[in-house]
Amino acid sequence: MAAGVVIAGAGQAGFQAAFSLRTEGYAGPITLVGEEAGLPYQRPPLSKGCLHGKQELDEIDLRPAAFYEKQNITLRMGERILAIDRDARRVYLADGEGLEYEYLLLATGASNRRLAGPGALYLRTRQEAAMLLTELEAAERLVVVGGGFIGLEVAAAATALERKVTVVEPQERLMQRAVGPIISEYFRAMHVGHGVEFVFGEGCTEIDDDGAVRLTNGAVLPADMVVAGIGVTPRAELAVAAGLSVANGIVVDEYLRTADERIYAIGDCASFPSRFAGGMARLESVQNAVDQARCFAEAVCGRPRPYDAVPWFWTDQFEAKLQMVGISQGFDCEVTRGDIGAGKFSVCYFREGRLIAIDSVNRPADHLAGRKLIAHGGTTVTPEQAADVEFDLKAAAQYLV
Amino acid sequence: MSLFSRKPKETASITYVSHTGASQTFDVPLGTSVMEGGVRNGVEEIVAECGGACICATCHVFVDEAYLPLLDAMEPGENEMLGNTLVKRRPNSRLSCQIQVTKSLDGMVVHTPEAQV
């Protein structure tokens, strides 16, 4: 059999790469290797729709089995690539079988950081979501460790089910890595308004046998259930073993290629140069996974282009739909647009006079305009204009392609 | 006992017609979306990158005029997102992830655009 494209990892990025290779016209063999059994599935619903009873865990497959047959994509689910032989252009599965490749794509994702001891639940896989839902049935008091997106989505869902929730966040504010302080405070107040309690500036040192959570300040929080969402570690062990460069993810160039011209990396596991980050970036999002997968597929099909998509992300918590575009870190000016009290507003972030990011709460039009404005360098809107709701951001973005 | 009761398994028939005129009809469970019905049955013209969060505009469909009055009114977010579709919106444009299948939609026809991304 001719060597084709082997994709390590069957999450959103790996799946999309296989799909995009076919839509771009790639005719060779495509093998998608995924650690988890079952068909490739979407992860966002695990902390969103599935926790609210709007989606079932067995209904979140990205595509049905027939799709892979029709597209001639070979699925190797429940299997794992253990090693790469770069000289022979071959990967080895756990059972010793070798697969030759023309191109190898590392879309290995990330794994959850874990607390030091046992006792906490985590949320990344369909199986973990099933466990969480099962435990949630009997639990009355939850402690969530980590006030990031996952932790807060779990807190909101559990509160909606009338569970008592306390969130422990070691930093001083919520979602600190991704949003500015105005948004953090809005979400804190909203969660408190729904009955969620917070402990800031403390971590979890251990979980007692009875489930109680011990904090760094000595306090003990009783709990029937502990969920930890404390960030991730990129899965780069294959790349390390193959001698590829790894620094907070597998290092790739603007074409998403490693130092080996036959090996690319995309999605949560890849560290890539980003003008939006002003340096190397590693992003954990559907948008990044999908857009990088397309970029990879085009490169394999002989149409390489630098990856340059605007980062965007979303989270749903209680009545707030938060949509983020751009990377706000390093802003030197922020303006608020809309009505915070009414729960419909955006925070626009500027650096050296350029619009670099917008976080929108229930203002989808600002978010969409932001995607265009920021892609174009953010030079066409001033902070004064952004703060003025009468100023039409959409119109300002319209003539930009 | 489970946290959430399973969705009813009753279905409505939904027909997906591609821009070339190819037509496929499926029984889609009530309470799921027209997008989900398409994706699960392999309608390739519906991409649905975001999985139904109304944030990617890649499940754009044109709803058969006869069924338009039966649909719930659009949320503002969907209306905004429809300004972002690859194929320009028309008066009967909707995002299929935002159309929940009900018994009254039985027999509905949606047309998919030439491209979504």
Side-chain angles (χ1 to χ4, degrees), chain A residues 12 42 51-54 56 58-59 62-64 70-71 137 286 290 294 314 321 323 364-365 368 371, chain B residues 1-4 6-7 9 39-40 42 44 46-47 49-51 53 55-56 77 80-81 84 117:
Chain A
Q12 187 98 38
Q42 309 166 53
L51 291 191
H52 292 274
K54 290 180 188 157
E56 304 283 353
D58 56 4
E59 292 176 346
L62 282 154
R63 289 294 183 276
K70 194 176 164 200
Q71 296 288 343
E137 268 178 54
V286 168
V290 168
R294 286 208 191 99
W314 80 98
K321 186 181 189 80
Q323 298 169 299
L368 286 171
R371 288 196 205 171
Chain B
M1 213 197 77
S2 177
L3 272 181
F4 310 108
R6 296 284 295 197
K7 283 172 194 145
K9 286 300 161 198
V39 166
R40 275 181 218 152
E44 285 161 31
I46 295 180
V47 175
E49 271 171 14
C50 76
I55 190 169
C56 72
E80 290 297 340
M81 206 53 66
N84 242 39
V117 292

Side-chain angles (χ1 to χ4, degrees), chain A residues 321 323 364 368 371, chain B residues 16 32-36 45-63 68 71-101 105 108 110-113 115-116:
Chain A
K321 186 181 189 80
Q323 298 169 299
L368 286 171
R371 288 196 205 171
Chain B
Y16 301 80
T32 65
S33 69
V34 170
M35 177 280 284
E36 290 172 285
E45 294 79 11
I46 295 180
V47 175
E49 271 171 14
C50 76
C54 194
I55 190 169
C56 72
T58 63
C59 65
H60 182 197
V61 296
F62 305 112
V63 176
L68 269 184
L71 302 183
D72 289 335
M74 256 188 258
E75 296 283 335
E78 180 184 354
N79 191 30
E80 290 297 340
M81 206 53 66
L82 278 169
N84 242 39
T85 53
L86 188 75
V87 172
K88 208 168 175 335
R89 75 185 290 176
R90 299 174 197 159
N92 61 338
S93 280
R94 291 294 303 259
L95 294 183
S96 56
C97 71
Q98 300 301 303
I99 307 175
Q100 208 180 55
V101 176
L105 297 186
M108 181 166 76
V110 297
H111 297 262
T112 49
Q116 299 277 10

Side-chain angles (χ1 to χ4, degrees), chain A residues 51-52 136 142 144 153-165:
Chain A
L51 291 191
H52 292 274
L136 197 51
L142 259 80
V144 173
E153 286 174 352
V154 169
T159 303
L161 291 164
E162 296 176 349
R163 270 59 175 177
K164 186 78 202 120
V165 181

Side-chain angles (χ1 to χ4, degrees), chain A residues 107-249:
Chain A
T108 43
S111 54
N112 289 341
R113 281 206 193 108
R114 305 219 151 216
L115 296 170
L121 296 173
Y122 298 85
L123 185 51
R124 167 161 294 270
T125 65
R126 175 141 59 181
Q127 200 180 1
E128 287 171 328
M131 276 171 61
L132 197 149
L133 284 170
T134 303
E135 293 231 354
L136 197 51
E137 268 178 54
E140 286 172 18
R141 295 164 307 177
L142 259 80
V143 170
V144 173
V145 182
F149 295 118
I150 298 288
L152 293 176
E153 286 174 352
V154 169
T159 303
L161 291 164
E162 296 176 349
R163 270 59 175 177
K164 186 78 202 120
V165 181
T166 304
V167 176
V168 178
E169 168 55 54
Q171 304 295 324
E172 294 304 324
R173 61 180 183 88
L174 300 174
M175 304 177 285
Q176 180 175 345
R177 216 158 46 93
V179 303
I182 295 173
I183 298 288
S184 296
E185 172 52 24
Y186 178 81
F187 275 77
R188 187 201 63 78
M190 178 182 71
H191 276 260
V192 168
H194 284 277
V196 177
E197 290 182 8
F198 287 96
V199 178
F200 285 97
E202 302 295 336
C204 164
T205 55
E206 103 177 278
I207 299 166
D208 290 348
D209 290 341
D210 65 358
V213 177
R214 287 182 180 276
L215 301 185
T216 36
N217 64 358
V220 179
L221 301 176
D224 305 314
M225 175 176 174
V226 183
V227 181
I230 49 174
V232 303
T233 311
R235 295 281 304 268
E237 58 270 26
L238 266 180
V240 170
L244 297 169
S245 172
V246 172
N248 181 31

